[in-house]
Amino acid sequence: MRSLSRRGLLAGTAAAIAAPALAQSFPNRPITMVVPFAAGGSTDVVARIIAQKMSEGLGQQVVVENVAGAGGNVGAARVAKGEPDGYQILMGTVATHALNPLMLKRKPYDPATDFAPISLLAIVPNVLIVNPSLPAKTVPELIGLLKANPGKYNYASSGLGTPLHLSGELFKSLAKVEMQHIAYRGSGPALNDVVAGVVPIQFDNLPSASAFIQAGTLRALGVTTKERAASFPDVPTIAEALPGYETYTWNALFAPKGTPKEIVDRLNAEAVKAVKDPAVGERMKVFSAAVVGSTPEALAEHVRAEIAKWTPVVKEAGVSID
């Protein structure tokens, strides 16, 4: 037993010595940034902008790899179970780190304990949009219309259990209105049907809906963030009419649990420097993203707060995924 204890002590000592040495030489090869969704979406765009800038600061290429599947869970689980050496990091979202774990019956990872938070990077507003033929030009008018016609109107989202679906459920809960959810396979098909008047109401990412709003084929009633979007300053926030309402899409970097603090701190410094770069900020404004650049501790608190916010909404909506 004494021999086993001695071996365990030596192993622990070796690991303690190796961690700073590993961090000191980090990085000495390319880093993979896993995007847990298909290429082309807002998360993928943010990842590629940040990866390019981080590559410059780290002196090694940060390669974006799209690992789509199960609403983001496949890519997130891969990073959660990966080597804690800083060479594989995740571009996480509200889906991977708040919503999916609340809805899944079998959880492939714990969002609060299986990752080392690096930095909250950006917040992207969602928007409440309607077909122009709907007799509601403001959020209060829509609430009045829904209360006068309980269950008559449907709303669209990009899919069951997505942040946009639950944005609608939160709206229903706070406004105390009834409307039926219609789940589509992606934002594009949903937008097309709302433009055509098949479904009159939709919650969508503001970047996806922007062109339709500008063209007048859809009417924006309110953005979902606390502050108005810089790209549409005349569109009020939903919270101006419905206090306490706030949802958004966010992007943040995570490493596997156990990644040495020195490596997390290096990745944090380069991520914050990247997101605060004026050129990056200008590119992010194109799709209404507000840059953040937080500490690891602030990101950990953000994840806890998001889980606490969405838990009652998911429960009330009765959404579960096998």
Side-chain angles (χ1 to χ4, degrees):
M1 290 294 293
R2 285 196 298 270
S3 177
L4 287 172
S5 298
R6 191 177 297 110
R7 283 202 299 270
L9 179 62
L10 289 172
T13 303
I17 294 170
L22 177 67
Q24 190 172 11
S25 64
F26 178 84
N28 57 24
R29 64 178 191 269
I31 295 167
T32 298
M33 182 184 291
V34 172
V35 172
F37 305 103
S42 62
T43 299
D44 181 64
V45 174
V46 170
R48 292 178 188 279
I49 292 172
I50 299 302
Q52 181 182 2
K53 205 66 187 176
M54 286 182 68
S55 297
E56 298 173 9
L58 290 166
Q60 290 285 344
Q61 188 175 7
V62 180
V63 181
V64 173
E65 182 180 354
N66 297 92
V67 184
N73 290 321
V74 173
R78 184 176 115 175
V79 174
K81 297 170 184 175
E83 287 296 320
D85 56 10
Y87 288 99
Q88 184 171 245
I89 57 179
L90 174 73
M91 181 62 79
T93 69
V94 62
T96 61
H97 277 71
L99 299 179
N100 291 353
L102 293 174
M103 294 182 289
L104 285 168
K105 294 178 181 177
R106 289 170 290 183
K107 305 182 189 310
Y109 58 85
D110 186 313
T113 61
D114 287 346
F115 296 89
I118 298 173
S119 181
L120 177 63
L121 300 176
I123 288 173
V124 181
N126 300 325
V127 63
L128 168 57
I129 46 181
V130 300
N131 183 283
S133 65
L134 191 75
K137 292 183 171 59
T138 65
V139 170
E141 288 181 6
L142 177 62
I143 293 172
L145 181 68
L146 295 173
K147 286 187 173 180
N149 300 274
K152 177 182 176 181
Y153 292 98
N154 299 330
Y155 80 95
S157 83
S158 57
L160 180 68
T162 61
L164 299 165
H165 168 203
L166 293 170
S167 291
E169 294 302 310
L170 181 61
F171 181 87
K172 285 166 56 179
S173 176
L174 292 179
K176 295 179 171 53
V177 296
E178 294 179 27
M179 54 179 174
Q180 302 302 313
H181 174 236
I182 306 297
Y184 284 78
R185 291 187 175 182
S187 175
L191 284 165
N192 289 337
D193 270 10
V194 177
V195 170
V198 177
V199 181
I201 303 163
Q202 182 179 352
F203 286 85
D204 194 31
N205 294 130
L206 183 55
S208 302
S210 292
F212 297 92
I213 297 168
Q214 291 167 340
T217 52
L218 290 175
R219 178 188 298 140
L221 299 191
V223 294
T224 62
T225 42
K226 279 185 178 178
E227 305 292 334
R228 295 190 180 197
S231 54
F232 289 92
D234 294 333
V235 177
T237 67
I238 293 175
E240 289 174 37
L242 196 59
Y245 186 93
E246 182 187 15
T247 74
Y248 44 79
T249 297
W250 51 264
N251 298 110
L253 285 179
F254 298 87
K257 175 182 68 176
T259 300
K261 183 179 184 302
E262 295 85 356
I263 290 178
V264 170
D265 288 345
R266 178 73 195 283
L267 289 168
N268 171 267
E270 294 301 334
V272 171
K273 186 166 72 173
V275 84
K276 298 289 187 182
D277 183 271
V280 169
E282 286 302 312
R283 293 181 68 185
M284 300 285 248
K285 280 181 185 177
V286 171
F287 52 99
S288 303
V291 298
V292 182
S294 76
T295 63
E297 294 76 17
L299 174 55
E301 178 56 36
H302 176 78
V303 169
R304 287 191 290 268
E306 286 287 276
I307 292 171
K309 177 177 79 175
W310 287 113
T311 296
V313 179
V314 170
K315 185 176 180 180
E316 184 176 341
V319 182
S320 65
I321 302 172
D322 291 330

